[in-house]
Structures are given as structure tokens and as C-alpha cells.
């Protein structure tokens, strides 16, 4: 296990944490299913190797009704039967947005078009903001080696 390098930067600058949490509150009020947002958060955090956010995403997903099968298989969602078409669209979008540099067309039309079939523009906005905030927290936690279970 690695040692924490410093406190989370957003904790050291409380105004930054307040702003990030305000965005999270706005996302929560936009009408997207909480389980779907938590599964998206969990998947992005797995990709980025962010222990505290993986733990937090799993906790949130359980609170919002994710099944054990979903929790254990979110990293392999394409190969399992436990996700709805809407959840699959959100997870595909989450992976594309989290891995922007991995392909020449960061979010291919196929991924976008499937997501747009399941979500209206406000819901897409909430999902994209959620993915962005997750990636921001991942990018604060991972380099400073924040520890899971500490919050």
C-alpha cells in the first residue's frame, strides 16, 4: 500500500471543494438515476485507478440499489447480462470520456448516438458533468495517493 503524499488538494482549498460539491448537487438534481450515476462514477474510477473513488462509487451504487452482480461485473459490463440498455449507454460514454486520448475520435458517433437515444440533452449534460467531476476527483486523489476508506 502506498503512503498519502499530501491531503486532497480540494480539502486544502475549501472553496474548491465547495465548488465541486455544488456541481455534484446540481447533477443529483438533474433527474438522472442515482444508480446509473454511481455505476458511471465507479467505472471511471476503476479506469483511473482511484481507490477512494472506487470505494465511494461502490458504496453509492449499493445505496442506490445496484445488485451484487452489477457491483462485481461493472468492469466487464459488455460481457454480462446485468445492465440495462440505458446503463450500457452511460458506461460506454463514461469509458470514452474518461479515455479521451486513447483514440483519434475520443467519443465516436456510435457511442454518442446510443447515449443520445437514452438521454435527453439535460440528462446528457448531467451525465457528462458527472463523468468530468469523477475524473477531476480521480486526478486529485491518484497523484496525491489518497487512501480508500479515509473519508
Amino acid at each position: 500500500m502506498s503512503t498519502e503524499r499530501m491531503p486532497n488538494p480540494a480539502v486544502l482549498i475549501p472553496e474548491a471543494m465547495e465548488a465541486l460539491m455544488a456541481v455534484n448537487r446540481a447533477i443529483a438534481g438533474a433527474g438522472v438515476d442515482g444508480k446509473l450515476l454511481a455505476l458511471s462514477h465507479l467505472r471511471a474510477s476503476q479506469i483511473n485507478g482511484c481507490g477512494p473513488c472506487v470505494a465511494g462509487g461502490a458504496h453509492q451504487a449499493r445505496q442506490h440499489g445496484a445488485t451484487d452482480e452489477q457491483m462485481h461485473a461493472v468492469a466487464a459490463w459488455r460481457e454480462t447480462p446485468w445492465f440495462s440498455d440505458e446503463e450500457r449507454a452511460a458506461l460506454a460514454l463514461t469509458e470514452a470520456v474518461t479515455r479521451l486520448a486513447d483514440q483519434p475520435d475520443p467519443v465516436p458517433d456510435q457511442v454518442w448516438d446510443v447515449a443520445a437515444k437514452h438521454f435527453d440533452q439535460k440528462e446528457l449534460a448531467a451525465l457528462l458533468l458527472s463523468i468530468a467531476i469523477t475524473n477531476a476527483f480521480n486526478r486529485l486523489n491518484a497523484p496525491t495517493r489518497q487512501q480508500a476508506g479515509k473519508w
Side-chain angles (χ1 to χ4, degrees):
M1 183 166 104
S2 59
T3 303
E4 182 180 294
R5 289 179 167 152
M6 65 180 273
N8 182 302
V11 171
L12 292 174
I13 303 173
E15 298 83 1
M17 183 62 84
E18 290 169 19
L20 291 168
M21 298 314 291
V23 173
N24 271 337
R25 285 189 299 278
I27 293 164
V32 177
D33 179 61
K35 180 177 83 165
L36 187 143
L37 291 173
L39 290 170
S40 169
H41 176 84
L42 175 57
R43 185 66 191 117
S45 298
Q46 288 173 334
I47 291 166
N48 290 325
C50 180
C53 291
V54 167
H59 178 74
Q60 285 179 321
R62 277 191 197 95
Q63 283 187 317
H64 287 284
T67 65
D68 286 343
E69 291 85 4
Q70 288 176 312
M71 297 296 300
H72 297 137
V74 71
W77 61 269
R78 286 178 181 85
E79 291 79 30
T80 64
W82 301 303
F83 299 91
S84 69
D85 289 345
E86 184 178 64
E87 290 164 343
R88 290 175 185 284
L91 290 167
L93 186 62
T94 298
E95 289 182 356
V97 172
T98 299
R99 294 179 163 143
L100 291 174
D102 288 355
Q103 44 191 336
D105 183 5
V107 180
D109 287 340
Q110 178 184 4
V111 170
W112 182 265
D113 293 346
V114 171
K117 279 187 356 188
H118 292 281
F119 305 101
D120 65 25
Q121 286 192 344
K122 182 178 178 184
E123 292 166 332
L124 276 171
L127 184 55
L128 288 168
L129 284 164
S130 180
I131 297 164
I133 288 293
T134 295
N135 277 279
F137 273 113
N138 294 165
R139 281 154 177 75
L140 296 172
N141 289 331
T144 59
R145 296 184 179 157
Q146 298 303 300
Q147 301 299 303
K150 187 176 167 193
W151 288 37

